[in-house]
Amino acid sequence: LKQKAILNIKDYPWSFSLSDLPDDHENISLHYRDRVSDDLDSEKAEDGNLILSVHKPEFQKCPEPELSFELWLEPGWNDFRLEASVIASMPGKETDEETGEPIPVLFADDPDRETQYQQWLEKRKVWVERQLLTARTRGLFTDLYRLYFELKRESETEEMIAANGFLRDRNNAEICHPVLTHRVSIDYDPDANTVFVRDTEIPSDLYSVVFQIMDDINLGEVNVLSEDLKKNDYHPLDRNETPGFLKVLVHQLSSDSVYSETGIPANWERSSRLLLYLNPCFIVRKRLDGTLKAIEQIIENVQQTEKCPAQSGILSAAGYRNYRRTQEKNPLTNSLQPLAARASIFCCRSRRIKNS
């Protein structure tokens, strides 16, 4: 019960929003999991289970400057992270008769040199933009490369998921978490130096932990939504049918809710308690153990049957007493203990009703 129930995406060790994907079509390929008609199923099958591929690009050399101004360039001209500039003046070959000092030559004294420099700057500008894009792509590749070996090493305890449908609650500012999740896998081809994120056959799931934490929502509708999800297996990266499912979800949870397909509306808290917005992303997280699922099933069973499963007796008795003892001193907000306590209360109430 000490496993932390994460309510905010920032608390995961790694996450990445697809809206931040570099616009690098040469090295990055993204395949959404849109549900299509039967006529297009064969075309989709040809793509297999590939969702994302990221190839590591190489940096390009800076365009060579003309000889007319090369010696005038300040150091760092071939570094895309720095601005290019020239020396305003330098000592000339002629000397001042009175002082004997070299007469300075201004860079702007030669119009042709100035013109060639400006033309080179335009070429360099294009090069800089390309290198900045390359740097972003390499940064994403480095992350995925590291995660490939990390998940390979920690395959029993960590996983990568695709997720969508971010839920916000005006009554709990900590909540900012996607509600629809789907496990994906990651692969690496060292010959092509490319990392791949692939879909899996594991069904999508609702992150119902966040619902259990919230008060005054239609928690019973989560069961109905879960059945719909089991039947239709909505994918977080499906742009056709999943948005409709998520829209229904938030409206079922509360009448005081709003749905957005274009990010976070300004001042949404003034008119609604709940907000659900689309933001497809990838997350690396600890695998949820069986305790969480067991607690959720206890709560659902008690709600539906008003009976407490026999195997939860120890949990309910001890958990209820502990909850009553510590709720004032140590508010249970960001762990699985609130769920255990809630299950305990349900079970104890159920037993009292049955005994009476």
Side-chain angles (χ1 to χ4, degrees), residues 26-37:
E26 293 183 12
N27 298 293
I28 297 177
S29 177
L30 175 64
H31 303 267
Y32 284 94
R33 308 306 290 172
D34 297 337
R35 188 163 295 173
V36 295
S37 63

Side-chain angles (χ1 to χ4, degrees), residues 45-251:
E46 292 179 0
D47 294 332
N49 59 359
L50 179 63
I51 295 178
L52 178 69
S53 65
V54 180
H55 171 71
K56 181 182 179 182
E58 298 299 329
F59 288 114
Q60 300 170 341
K61 291 182 61 176
C62 180
E64 291 294 330
E66 299 289 342
L67 293 176
S68 61
F69 62 85
E70 182 177 4
L71 296 179
W72 292 80
L73 290 172
E74 295 277 12
W77 60 267
N78 55 354
D79 188 339
F80 69 89
R81 295 164 295 185
L82 303 176
E83 293 286 339
S85 60
V86 294
I87 302 170
S89 66
M90 64 173 56
K93 296 180 180 179
E94 299 181 359
T95 59
D96 187 292
E97 294 181 355
E98 296 183 358
T99 63
E101 297 292 330
I103 299 176
V105 178
L106 301 180
F107 181 82
D109 286 344
D110 188 339
D112 290 339
R113 179 169 58 212
E114 178 71 29
T115 299
Q116 292 176 348
Y117 173 63
Q118 293 300 326
Q119 292 173 344
W120 176 79
L121 282 180
E122 290 299 317
K123 295 179 182 179
R124 186 182 185 276
K125 181 180 178 181
V126 175
W127 169 77
V128 167
E129 292 176 352
R130 179 62 204 180
Q131 303 323 295
L132 290 173
L133 179 61
T134 296
R136 291 184 60 204
T137 300
R138 286 169 66 100
L140 177 58
F141 172 87
T142 300
D143 278 354
L144 294 175
Y145 177 88
R146 172 182 60 82
L147 291 171
Y148 165 72
F149 288 101
E150 178 181 318
L151 293 174
K152 186 177 181 180
R153 184 176 62 252
E154 306 292 341
S155 60
E156 297 298 321
T157 59
E158 295 184 1
E159 65 181 359
M160 177 181 284
I161 60 171
N164 204 351
F166 274 71
L167 187 65
R168 301 283 299 273
D169 185 354
R170 183 179 59 196
N171 296 347
N172 188 343
E174 181 63 19
I175 295 178
C176 181
H177 197 288
V179 297
L180 183 62
T181 66
H182 186 100
R183 189 184 299 178
V184 297
S185 64
I186 188 169
D187 193 15
Y188 173 59
D189 182 347
D191 184 47
N193 211 12
T194 302
V195 181
F196 304 93
V197 176
R198 302 186 184 277
D199 204 358
T200 67
E201 296 297 326
I202 300 174
S204 298
D205 196 14
L206 286 179
Y207 188 72
S208 53
V209 173
V210 68
F211 304 138
Q212 305 291 350
I213 297 295
M214 300 166 67
D215 295 321
D216 300 324
I217 62 170
N218 299 320
L219 198 58
E221 294 301 315
V222 175
N223 299 329
V224 178
L225 294 164
S226 296
E227 289 301 319
D228 185 17
L229 179 59
K230 290 178 182 178
K231 180 180 178 181
N232 295 286
D233 196 22
Y234 301 105
H235 197 288
L237 304 185
D238 177 6
R239 297 171 295 181
N240 294 335
E241 297 189 2
T242 295
F245 170 74
L246 294 173
K247 182 178 181 180
V248 169
L249 184 149
V250 71
H251 289 166

Side-chain angles (χ1 to χ4, degrees), residues 35-42:
R35 188 163 295 173
V36 295
S37 63
D38 294 339
D39 295 338
L40 298 177
D41 279 346
S42 59

Side-chain angles (χ1 to χ4, degrees), residues 1 289-301 309 311-312 315 339-340 343:
L1 297 181
D289 61 23
T291 305
L292 174 60
K293 290 295 182 181
I295 294 174
E296 291 177 355
Q297 290 171 1
I298 291 172
I299 294 176
E300 293 176 3
N301 184 78
Q311 61 268 31
S312 64
L315 169 67
L339 301 184

